[in-house]
Amino acid sequence: MMQERPDPLPGPGQIRLRVEACGVCRTDLHVVDGELPNPKLPIVPGHEIVGRVEALGDGVSLKVGARVGVAWLAHTDGTCPYCRSGRENLCDAPLFTGYTRDGGYATHAIADADFVYSLPEDADPVATAPLLCAGFIGWRSLKLAGDGRTIGIYGFGAAGHIIAQVCRWQGRRVFAFTKAGDSAGQAFARSLGAEWAGGSDEKPPEPLDAALLFAPVGALVPLALAVLRKGGRVVSGGIHMSDIPSFPYALLWEERSVSSVANLTRADGHEFLGVAPQAKVRTTTTPYPLDKANEALDDLRSGRLEGAAVLVP
Ligand SMILES: [Zn+2]
Ligand SMILES: [Zn+2]
């Protein structure tokens, strides 16, 4: 529902930005569907925000007019054991953009100055927005996958299509898994350097070192374990997933592992924003005007999108 509100005022340490573009992430679907606990309600979703600094709160030294990005991690306490051990992604008292703080499906947004990312003047806001979650989470997932050379990617959407390009740049081999029969998605994956693409129920031509799961489907966990070589890792990048069906221990044995990625640290974000231009990542996007946000969410839900949807106010 579109609503007129007064422009928000930045508090101490905060900025207000004028939104230039905001990516649509699968997590936004989980937020609007009520699948995540304790959201701020009503909530403005959106956590892949590209915008211009418009107003500064007390104590902020950013330049008015500078282009910045705002991502999922909006605030941390800085004092809990996780923050103090370099794991602020697991903070005990965090805020998340577009979930527990209003996000970027809007003309303006508030952000903590310490949590925004400087972006180049010549950046294309629409092309850049998906990097801020799909890219960051994809990058953290790939790091957790270790240094294996053969990488399976389950769910070839916003995150998959970005991280496949990073894998290729690193000299890794990419195997893409889509919904069974999604020949368009498989062709899209091949066009971005996947050497093999097939349905998630299919076996790749050889066992893989790691599998990244970007689809919210728990049944993929045993399927992915079954295509890994010994010591292989399954990393789930999503915040929500349907239940994982029980599976024989033999699939996990031989030191295969299953892990999840939760949120991201600012260090992940800064690191990835350095990697993306080196890897010459090109995002595939479908822009929607802001008042078509529900249409964009529907298209994401039904899998009609290639790459990422991005809202433009
Ligand atoms: Zn996201
Ligand atoms: Zn903390």
Side-chain angles (χ1 to χ4, degrees), residues 23-28 46-48 71-72 97 130 132-135 137 237 239 264:
V24 176
C25 173
R26 180 167 296 281
T27 299
D28 304 341
H47 56 271
E48 295 178 312
W72 172 248
T97 312
L132 295 167
C133 182
I137 293 291
I239 192 168
L264 60 128

Side-chain angles (χ1 to χ4, degrees), residues 76-80 83 91-93:
T76 56
D77 59 10
T79 56
C80 77
C83 284
C91 178
D92 281 333

Side-chain angles (χ1 to χ4, degrees), residues 10-17 53 55-63 68-70 73-75 101 110-118 266 270:
Q14 295 183 329
I15 60 162
R16 179 174 75 230
L17 58 148
V53 177
L56 307 179
D58 284 347
V60 177
S61 60
L62 285 170
K63 257 178 62 187
V68 294
V70 179
L73 189 67
H75 177 84
R101 171 185 284 169
I110 294 286
D112 282 23
D114 288 346
F115 284 75
V116 305
Y117 301 86
S118 287
R266 283 171 282 181
H270 290 296

Side-chain angles (χ1 to χ4, degrees), residues 19 21-23 44-49 97-98 101-109 290 311 313:
V19 178
C22 183
V44 178
H47 56 271
E48 295 178 312
I49 310 173
T97 312
R101 171 185 284 169
D102 281 333
Y105 288 21
T107 54
H108 297 81
L290 178 58
L311 302 178

Side-chain angles (χ1 to χ4, degrees), residues 20-303:
E20 295 181 294
C22 183
V24 176
C25 173
R26 180 167 296 281
T27 299
D28 304 341
L29 280 179
H30 300 313
V31 170
V32 302
D33 290 347
E35 287 170 325
L36 304 182
N38 307 318
K40 170 191 173 294
L41 289 175
I43 183 70
V44 178
H47 56 271
E48 295 178 312
I49 310 173
V50 177
R52 297 271 188 188
V53 177
E54 192 179 69
L56 307 179
D58 284 347
V60 177
S61 60
L62 285 170
K63 257 178 62 187
V64 171
R67 176 173 281 141
V68 294
V70 179
W72 172 248
L73 189 67
H75 177 84
T76 56
D77 59 10
T79 56
C80 77
Y82 299 102
C83 284
R84 283 190 282 113
S85 59
R87 294 179 292 166
E88 65 180 4
N89 59 308
L90 301 176
C91 178
D92 281 333
L95 289 174
F96 298 113
T97 312
Y99 172 32
T100 53
R101 171 185 284 169
D102 281 333
Y105 288 21
T107 54
H108 297 81
I110 294 286
D112 282 23
D114 288 346
F115 284 75
V116 305
Y117 301 86
S118 287
L119 295 175
E121 271 306 299
D122 61 355
D124 171 352
V126 170
T128 303
L131 301 180
L132 295 167
C133 182
F136 288 8
I137 293 291
W139 176 244
R140 189 172 173 86
S141 302
L142 184 61
K143 288 201 295 182
L144 261 66
D147 54 8
R149 306 317 291 167
T150 52
I151 306 292
I153 297 179
Y154 285 76
F156 211 84
H161 94 289
I162 291 171
I163 222 60
Q165 298 174 61
V166 175
C167 286
R168 293 298 299 134
W169 171 71
Q170 292 176 325
R172 309 199 210 211
R173 298 165 57 206
V174 173
F175 300 75
F177 298 80
T178 68
K179 275 191 190 129
D182 179 7
S183 50
Q186 291 163 16
F188 179 51
R190 282 190 209 96
S191 77
L192 291 173
E195 68 176 63
W196 176 92
S200 53
D201 54 342
E202 290 178 52
K203 290 262 192 217
E206 59 187 279
L208 306 180
D209 293 322
L212 311 179
L213 308 191
F214 297 123
V217 180
L220 292 175
V221 170
L223 286 173
L225 278 170
V227 306
L228 294 186
R229 68 175 77 254
K230 289 181 272 192
R233 300 180 185 180
V234 173
V235 181
S236 177
I239 192 168
H240 177 83
M241 201 180 222
S242 55
D243 285 355
I244 301 171
S246 76
F247 55 86
Y249 177 63
L251 286 180
L252 189 63
W253 190 60
E254 295 171 325
E255 303 198 344
R256 292 174 184 86
S257 65
V258 177
S259 63
S260 68
V261 160
N263 316 315
L264 60 128
T265 66
R266 283 171 282 181
D268 295 326
H270 290 296
E271 196 172 68
F272 183 71
L273 288 174
V275 163
Q278 290 180 63
K280 298 193 166 52
V281 168
R282 295 278 171 271
T283 55
T284 299
T285 54
T286 306
Y288 294 76
L290 178 58
D291 62 4
K292 296 282 185 293
N294 285 322
E295 218 167 274
L297 286 166
D298 283 346
D299 290 347
L300 175 60
R301 190 192 304 278
S302 63

